[in-house]
Amino acid sequence: MQSFIPPKRTLMGPGPSDISPQVLQALSRPTIGHLDPLFIKMIDEVKELLKYAFQTENEFTIAVSAPGSAGMETCFVNLVEEGEKVLVCRNGVFGERMRQNVERCGGTVIVIDDKWGEPVSLNKVEEALLQHADIKIVAFVHAETSTGVLSDAEAISTLARQHGCLTIVDAVTSLGGVPLLVDKWQLDAVYSGSQKCLSCTPGLSPVTFSKRAVDKMKSRTKAVQSWFLDQSLVLSYWSGEGKRSYHHTAPVNSLYALHESLLMLKNEGLEAAWSRHAFYHQELKEGLESLGIQFMVDEAYRLPQLNAVYIPEGVSDVEVRSRLLNEYNLEIGAGLGDLAGKTWRIGLMGYAAKKENVALCLKALSDVL
């Protein structure tokens, strides 16, 4: 065996995304203790930078030491108690994962379904809330990574509040790529991932809890079933109040990288980042359509950073993606679930949303097709 030296790929799938040299360099800095005063100062900055990215003043805004799936579970295990009714809006793979989380928490799931590739129906949400007056939480995916569709988080949140419900929101693919205004939209528990539009290493999950969500978490009648994800045990490490208590060994170097990626986002500016994703999406769209490739999602609900397109008739999904990888060092994503073999998912996330990546993708697809 020898040291593993990976090839230099261009990552234009559904994640992870390309990582900038600055973030990779941050990973290689000397490791210090996770209770070192200098490290504590840095994670306080991570909190402030995450508040900026989420557009929130929530005090409980942290990075869970695990990937986005753990961020999802963090929200559910802390907020869903046994027997509580939770409305899950399912329009793709990750809405289904929400449903499974509620069941594992002992909650009662009320599911509304929308066709894959379409946003969550506001009418269906309202009907379900009227039909089930005892629903406590509304859970939905803001940016569905399996289909590239964007749902109206503000409108869903408004309906939830009108019926006295909290919201749990999957923003794994939306954070940093499209507008996500946690405070303005009054979202309660929102989770994301480090490896999408933040262009950081996989393995961290930014989360933010509103005061309403924290109050519900603190008023639980039973302990959270997961010791590691029980946020009441983590609060004193991230809180900034007095002596930081040990809960687990934080992923020190990964948090260096997250700090760097969030600093880059802050320096660029959120609105500039959103505009950049939209601009290069338009370039990619025009190029793909010139090749006869059609988009799956209506333009009004389309994610610029996750482009779900139909595979042209008679074209082999596996052969094309294999040739792109082996001949061009270019990764694009396959379809999931019922869309496997029917769609590709082409990412333009974070550092990957740039002219040279769009040009490479269009040239490589043109050659291979």
PDB file of all heavy atoms in Angstrom, residues 125-148:
ATOM      1  N   VAL A 125     -50.668  21.939   2.040  1.00  0.00           N
ATOM      2  CA  VAL A 125     -50.208  22.230   3.401  1.00  0.00           C
ATOM      3  C   VAL A 125     -51.366  22.786   4.222  1.00  0.00           C
ATOM      4  O   VAL A 125     -51.635  22.333   5.351  1.00  0.00           O
ATOM      5  CB  VAL A 125     -49.025  23.224   3.390  1.00  0.00           C
ATOM      6  CG1 VAL A 125     -48.682  23.656   4.820  1.00  0.00           C
ATOM      7  CG2 VAL A 125     -47.798  22.602   2.726  1.00  0.00           C
ATOM      8  N   GLU A 126     -52.067  23.756   3.677  1.00  0.00           N
ATOM      9  CA  GLU A 126     -53.171  24.386   4.403  1.00  0.00           C
ATOM     10  C   GLU A 126     -54.290  23.393   4.683  1.00  0.00           C
ATOM     11  O   GLU A 126     -54.834  23.359   5.792  1.00  0.00           O
ATOM     12  CB  GLU A 126     -53.703  25.577   3.616  1.00  0.00           C
ATOM     13  CG  GLU A 126     -54.737  26.394   4.386  1.00  0.00           C
ATOM     14  CD  GLU A 126     -55.056  27.709   3.712  1.00  0.00           C
ATOM     15  OE1 GLU A 126     -54.907  27.806   2.476  1.00  0.00           O
ATOM     16  OE2 GLU A 126     -55.436  28.651   4.439  1.00  0.00           O
ATOM     17  N   GLU A 127     -54.616  22.563   3.706  1.00  0.00           N
ATOM     18  CA  GLU A 127     -55.665  21.562   3.900  1.00  0.00           C
ATOM     19  C   GLU A 127     -55.306  20.588   5.018  1.00  0.00           C
ATOM     20  O   GLU A 127     -56.149  20.236   5.849  1.00  0.00           O
ATOM     21  CB  GLU A 127     -55.901  20.791   2.596  1.00  0.00           C
ATOM     22  CG  GLU A 127     -56.611  21.603   1.516  1.00  0.00           C
ATOM     23  CD  GLU A 127     -56.623  20.889   0.169  1.00  0.00           C
ATOM     24  OE1 GLU A 127     -56.194  19.710   0.115  1.00  0.00           O
ATOM     25  OE2 GLU A 127     -57.050  21.517  -0.830  1.00  0.00           O
ATOM     26  N   ALA A 128     -54.051  20.147   5.037  1.00  0.00           N
ATOM     27  CA  ALA A 128     -53.615  19.204   6.074  1.00  0.00           C
ATOM     28  C   ALA A 128     -53.670  19.847   7.455  1.00  0.00           C
ATOM     29  O   ALA A 128     -54.079  19.210   8.442  1.00  0.00           O
ATOM     30  CB  ALA A 128     -52.202  18.713   5.776  1.00  0.00           C
ATOM     31  N   LEU A 129     -53.271  21.111   7.559  1.00  0.00           N
ATOM     32  CA  LEU A 129     -53.294  21.804   8.845  1.00  0.00           C
ATOM     33  C   LEU A 129     -54.720  22.035   9.332  1.00  0.00           C
ATOM     34  O   LEU A 129     -54.995  21.978  10.541  1.00  0.00           O
ATOM     35  CB  LEU A 129     -52.547  23.135   8.733  1.00  0.00           C
ATOM     36  CG  LEU A 129     -51.024  23.024   8.558  1.00  0.00           C
ATOM     37  CD1 LEU A 129     -50.410  24.374   8.215  1.00  0.00           C
ATOM     38  CD2 LEU A 129     -50.360  22.448   9.808  1.00  0.00           C
ATOM     39  N   LEU A 130     -55.629  22.264   8.410  1.00  0.00           N
ATOM     40  CA  LEU A 130     -57.040  22.434   8.783  1.00  0.00           C
ATOM     41  C   LEU A 130     -57.662  21.102   9.200  1.00  0.00           C
ATOM     42  O   LEU A 130     -58.477  21.036  10.120  1.00  0.00           O
ATOM     43  CB  LEU A 130     -57.825  23.034   7.617  1.00  0.00           C
ATOM     44  CG  LEU A 130     -57.541  24.506   7.303  1.00  0.00           C
ATOM     45  CD1 LEU A 130     -58.193  24.914   5.987  1.00  0.00           C
ATOM     46  CD2 LEU A 130     -58.023  25.410   8.439  1.00  0.00           C
ATOM     47  N   GLN A 131     -57.233  20.050   8.544  1.00  0.00           N
ATOM     48  CA  GLN A 131     -57.794  18.723   8.826  1.00  0.00           C
ATOM     49  C   GLN A 131     -57.254  18.142  10.133  1.00  0.00           C
ATOM     50  O   GLN A 131     -57.946  17.393  10.819  1.00  0.00           O
ATOM     51  CB  GLN A 131     -57.478  17.779   7.667  1.00  0.00           C
ATOM     52  CG  GLN A 131     -58.165  16.423   7.754  1.00  0.00           C
ATOM     53  CD  GLN A 131     -57.901  15.557   6.530  1.00  0.00           C
ATOM     54  OE1 GLN A 131     -57.352  16.031   5.536  1.00  0.00           O
ATOM     55  NE2 GLN A 131     -58.289  14.304   6.596  1.00  0.00           N
ATOM     56  N   HIS A 132     -56.023  18.488  10.474  1.00  0.00           N
ATOM     57  CA  HIS A 132     -55.370  17.948  11.681  1.00  0.00           C
ATOM     58  C   HIS A 132     -54.950  19.124  12.562  1.00  0.00           C
ATOM     59  O   HIS A 132     -53.807  19.602  12.483  1.00  0.00           O
ATOM     60  CB  HIS A 132     -54.161  17.093  11.314  1.00  0.00           C
ATOM     61  CG  HIS A 132     -54.467  15.940  10.406  1.00  0.00           C
ATOM     62  ND1 HIS A 132     -54.915  14.727  10.859  1.00  0.00           N
ATOM     63  CD2 HIS A 132     -54.418  15.845   9.043  1.00  0.00           C
ATOM     64  CE1 HIS A 132     -55.100  13.909   9.846  1.00  0.00           C
ATOM     65  NE2 HIS A 132     -54.813  14.562   8.724  1.00  0.00           N
ATOM     66  N   ALA A 133     -55.846  19.564  13.410  1.00  0.00           N
ATOM     67  CA  ALA A 133     -55.588  20.753  14.233  1.00  0.00           C
ATOM     68  C   ALA A 133     -54.501  20.533  15.279  1.00  0.00           C
ATOM     69  O   ALA A 133     -53.990  21.502  15.851  1.00  0.00           O
ATOM     70  CB  ALA A 133     -56.882  21.188  14.918  1.00  0.00           C
ATOM     71  N   ASP A 134     -54.141  19.258  15.535  1.00  0.00           N
ATOM     72  CA  ASP A 134     -53.150  18.961  16.576  1.00  0.00           C
ATOM     73  C   ASP A 134     -51.744  18.735  16.025  1.00  0.00           C
ATOM     74  O   ASP A 134     -50.866  18.241  16.739  1.00  0.00           O
ATOM     75  CB  ASP A 134     -53.592  17.741  17.400  1.00  0.00           C
ATOM     76  CG  ASP A 134     -53.945  16.532  16.525  1.00  0.00           C
ATOM     77  OD1 ASP A 134     -54.073  16.689  15.294  1.00  0.00           O
ATOM     78  OD2 ASP A 134     -54.118  15.434  17.089  1.00  0.00           O
ATOM     79  N   ILE A 135     -51.506  19.094  14.776  1.00  0.00           N
ATOM     80  CA  ILE A 135     -50.140  19.040  14.240  1.00  0.00           C
ATOM     81  C   ILE A 135     -49.256  20.038  14.992  1.00  0.00           C
ATOM     82  O   ILE A 135     -49.648  21.182  15.212  1.00  0.00           O
ATOM     83  CB  ILE A 135     -50.131  19.333  12.723  1.00  0.00           C
ATOM     84  CG1 ILE A 135     -50.735  18.155  11.948  1.00  0.00           C
ATOM     85  CG2 ILE A 135     -48.715  19.618  12.218  1.00  0.00           C
ATOM     86  CD1 ILE A 135     -50.890  18.411  10.460  1.00  0.00           C
ATOM     87  N   LYS A 136     -48.071  19.587  15.385  1.00  0.00           N
ATOM     88  CA  LYS A 136     -47.150  20.432  16.154  1.00  0.00           C
ATOM     89  C   LYS A 136     -46.023  21.024  15.305  1.00  0.00           C
ATOM     90  O   LYS A 136     -45.496  22.088  15.621  1.00  0.00           O
ATOM     91  CB  LYS A 136     -46.517  19.619  17.291  1.00  0.00           C
ATOM     92  CG  LYS A 136     -47.519  19.036  18.281  1.00  0.00           C
ATOM     93  CD  LYS A 136     -48.224  20.124  19.057  1.00  0.00           C
ATOM     94  CE  LYS A 136     -49.124  19.528  20.133  1.00  0.00           C
ATOM     95  NZ  LYS A 136     -49.905  20.580  20.829  1.00  0.00           N
ATOM     96  N   ILE A 137     -45.632  20.298  14.249  1.00  0.00           N
ATOM     97  CA  ILE A 137     -44.464  20.697  13.456  1.00  0.00           C
ATOM     98  C   ILE A 137     -44.769  20.482  11.980  1.00  0.00           C
ATOM     99  O   ILE A 137     -45.393  19.490  11.601  1.00  0.00           O
ATOM    100  CB  ILE A 137     -43.217  19.875  13.859  1.00  0.00           C
ATOM    101  CG1 ILE A 137     -42.801  20.164  15.309  1.00  0.00           C
ATOM    102  CG2 ILE A 137     -42.047  20.147  12.912  1.00  0.00           C
ATOM    103  CD1 ILE A 137     -41.723  19.237  15.840  1.00  0.00           C
ATOM    104  N   VAL A 138     -44.320  21.407  11.153  1.00  0.00           N
ATOM    105  CA  VAL A 138     -44.361  21.249   9.700  1.00  0.00           C
ATOM    106  C   VAL A 138     -42.921  21.109   9.207  1.00  0.00           C
ATOM    107  O   VAL A 138     -42.084  21.990   9.466  1.00  0.00           O
ATOM    108  CB  VAL A 138     -45.036  22.451   9.009  1.00  0.00           C
ATOM    109  CG1 VAL A 138     -44.994  22.295   7.490  1.00  0.00           C
ATOM    110  CG2 VAL A 138     -46.474  22.596   9.488  1.00  0.00           C
ATOM    111  N   ALA A 139     -42.632  20.009   8.524  1.00  0.00           N
ATOM    112  CA  ALA A 139     -41.278  19.739   8.045  1.00  0.00           C
ATOM    113  C   ALA A 139     -41.273  19.709   6.521  1.00  0.00           C
ATOM    114  O   ALA A 139     -42.117  19.057   5.904  1.00  0.00           O
ATOM    115  CB  ALA A 139     -40.778  18.402   8.601  1.00  0.00           C
ATOM    116  N   PHE A 140     -40.319  20.394   5.916  1.00  0.00           N
ATOM    117  CA  PHE A 140     -40.260  20.426   4.453  1.00  0.00           C
ATOM    118  C   PHE A 140     -38.832  20.695   3.989  1.00  0.00           C
ATOM    119  O   PHE A 140     -37.982  21.174   4.748  1.00  0.00           O
ATOM    120  CB  PHE A 140     -41.203  21.502   3.891  1.00  0.00           C
ATOM    121  CG  PHE A 140     -40.845  22.909   4.264  1.00  0.00           C
ATOM    122  CD1 PHE A 140     -40.067  23.690   3.425  1.00  0.00           C
ATOM    123  CD2 PHE A 140     -41.275  23.466   5.458  1.00  0.00           C
ATOM    124  CE1 PHE A 140     -39.733  24.996   3.759  1.00  0.00           C
ATOM    125  CE2 PHE A 140     -40.958  24.777   5.804  1.00  0.00           C
ATOM    126  CZ  PHE A 140     -40.178  25.541   4.950  1.00  0.00           C
ATOM    127  N   VAL A 141     -38.600  20.377   2.721  1.00  0.00           N
ATOM    128  CA  VAL A 141     -37.298  20.603   2.102  1.00  0.00           C
ATOM    129  C   VAL A 141     -37.367  21.887   1.298  1.00  0.00           C
ATOM    130  O   VAL A 141     -38.193  22.022   0.396  1.00  0.00           O
ATOM    131  CB  VAL A 141     -36.913  19.419   1.186  1.00  0.00           C
ATOM    132  CG1 VAL A 141     -35.555  19.676   0.535  1.00  0.00           C
ATOM    133  CG2 VAL A 141     -36.899  18.112   1.979  1.00  0.00           C
ATOM    134  N   HIS A 142     -36.516  22.831   1.638  1.00  0.00           N
ATOM    135  CA  HIS A 142     -36.477  24.098   0.910  1.00  0.00           C
ATOM    136  C   HIS A 142     -35.955  23.876  -0.508  1.00  0.00           C
ATOM    137  O   HIS A 142     -36.588  24.310  -1.482  1.00  0.00           O
ATOM    138  CB  HIS A 142     -35.581  25.088   1.663  1.00  0.00           C
ATOM    139  CG  HIS A 142     -35.517  26.447   1.056  1.00  0.00           C
ATOM    140  ND1 HIS A 142     -34.369  27.218   1.085  1.00  0.00           N
ATOM    141  CD2 HIS A 142     -36.441  27.189   0.404  1.00  0.00           C
ATOM    142  CE1 HIS A 142     -34.603  28.381   0.492  1.00  0.00           C
ATOM    143  NE2 HIS A 142     -35.856  28.391   0.064  1.00  0.00           N
ATOM    144  N   ALA A 143     -34.806  23.200  -0.624  1.00  0.00           N
ATOM    145  CA  ALA A 143     -34.187  22.919  -1.923  1.00  0.00           C
ATOM    146  C   ALA A 143     -33.994  21.408  -2.022  1.00  0.00           C
ATOM    147  O   ALA A 143     -33.095  20.863  -1.390  1.00  0.00           O
ATOM    148  CB  ALA A 143     -32.861  23.651  -2.049  1.00  0.00           C
ATOM    149  N   GLU A 144     -34.841  20.742  -2.799  1.00  0.00           N
ATOM    150  CA  GLU A 144     -34.822  19.274  -2.880  1.00  0.00           C
ATOM    151  C   GLU A 144     -33.674  18.825  -3.792  1.00  0.00           C
ATOM    152  O   GLU A 144     -33.713  18.981  -5.009  1.00  0.00           O
ATOM    153  CB  GLU A 144     -36.178  18.772  -3.388  1.00  0.00           C
ATOM    154  CG  GLU A 144     -36.296  17.283  -3.571  1.00  0.00           C
ATOM    155  CD  GLU A 144     -35.949  16.447  -2.336  1.00  0.00           C
ATOM    156  OE1 GLU A 144     -36.741  16.390  -1.385  1.00  0.00           O
ATOM    157  OE2 GLU A 144     -34.859  15.834  -2.365  1.00  0.00           O
ATOM    158  N   THR A 145     -32.647  18.257  -3.170  1.00  0.00           N
ATOM    159  CA  THR A 145     -31.430  17.892  -3.890  1.00  0.00           C
ATOM    160  C   THR A 145     -31.664  16.789  -4.906  1.00  0.00           C
ATOM    161  O   THR A 145     -30.911  16.666  -5.877  1.00  0.00           O
ATOM    162  CB  THR A 145     -30.344  17.448  -2.880  1.00  0.00           C
ATOM    163  OG1 THR A 145     -30.278  18.404  -1.821  1.00  0.00           O
ATOM    164  CG2 THR A 145     -28.987  17.349  -3.534  1.00  0.00           C
ATOM    165  N   SER A 146     -32.679  15.981  -4.722  1.00  0.00           N
ATOM    166  CA  SER A 146     -32.909  14.872  -5.645  1.00  0.00           C
ATOM    167  C   SER A 146     -33.540  15.323  -6.944  1.00  0.00           C
ATOM    168  O   SER A 146     -33.479  14.611  -7.945  1.00  0.00           O
ATOM    169  CB  SER A 146     -33.791  13.804  -4.982  1.00  0.00           C
ATOM    170  OG  SER A 146     -35.068  14.322  -4.653  1.00  0.00           O
ATOM    171  N   THR A 147     -34.154  16.522  -6.960  1.00  0.00           N
ATOM    172  CA  THR A 147     -34.866  16.963  -8.159  1.00  0.00           C
ATOM    173  C   THR A 147     -34.483  18.363  -8.631  1.00  0.00           C
ATOM    174  O   THR A 147     -34.814  18.745  -9.751  1.00  0.00           O
ATOM    175  CB  THR A 147     -36.390  16.962  -7.916  1.00  0.00           C
ATOM    176  OG1 THR A 147     -36.707  17.919  -6.890  1.00  0.00           O
ATOM    177  CG2 THR A 147     -36.881  15.591  -7.510  1.00  0.00           C
ATOM    178  N   GLY A 148     -33.836  19.156  -7.774  1.00  0.00           N
ATOM    179  CA  GLY A 148     -33.469  20.514  -8.163  1.00  0.00           C
ATOM    180  C   GLY A 148     -34.612  21.504  -8.118  1.00  0.00           C
ATOM    181  O   GLY A 148     -34.602  22.492  -8.845  1.00  0.00           O
TER     182      GLY A 148
END
